[in-house]
Amino acid sequence: MWNFKRLAFVVLAVLIASAIVLFVLENNQPVALQFLGWSVLQFPVSIFVLLALLAGMMIGPLLAWFVGARRRLK
């Protein structure tokens, strides 16, 4: 059973990594973003999307932890 879980995890990790690589290869058009008057150097679209994904993956659990901590204190 342990070997099956390990194999399933490796297969899933390889699928996710290959999807990310394909996404980066397909979205390599350079764009420049502007937000509230600030501009960023030109980078491929995939870089901005992956940065937004990583930021969401960090902020989401932090917000969930913060809300849970506030509920525990009441």
Side-chain angles (χ1 to χ4, degrees), residues 2 10 13-14 21 26-27 43 50-51 53 64 70-71 73:
W2 179 254
V10 168
V14 167
V21 168
E26 289 293 323
N27 293 291
F43 288 110
L50 290 175
L51 287 174
L53 173 70
R70 287 190 68 183
R71 286 186 182 165
L73 289 176

Side-chain angles (χ1 to χ4, degrees), residues 5-6 12 16-17 22 25 30 51 53:
K5 286 182 181 180
R6 183 178 293 169
L12 182 65
I16 290 172
L22 286 173
L25 291 175
L51 287 174
L53 173 70

Side-chain angles (χ1 to χ4, degrees), residues 40-66:
V40 180
L41 295 174
Q42 285 192 346
F43 288 110
V45 174
S46 58
I47 298 297
F48 290 118
V49 173
L50 290 175
L51 287 174
L53 173 70
L54 291 174
M57 289 174 67
M58 285 190 249
I59 292 172
L62 285 175
L63 287 175
W65 174 79
F66 182 70

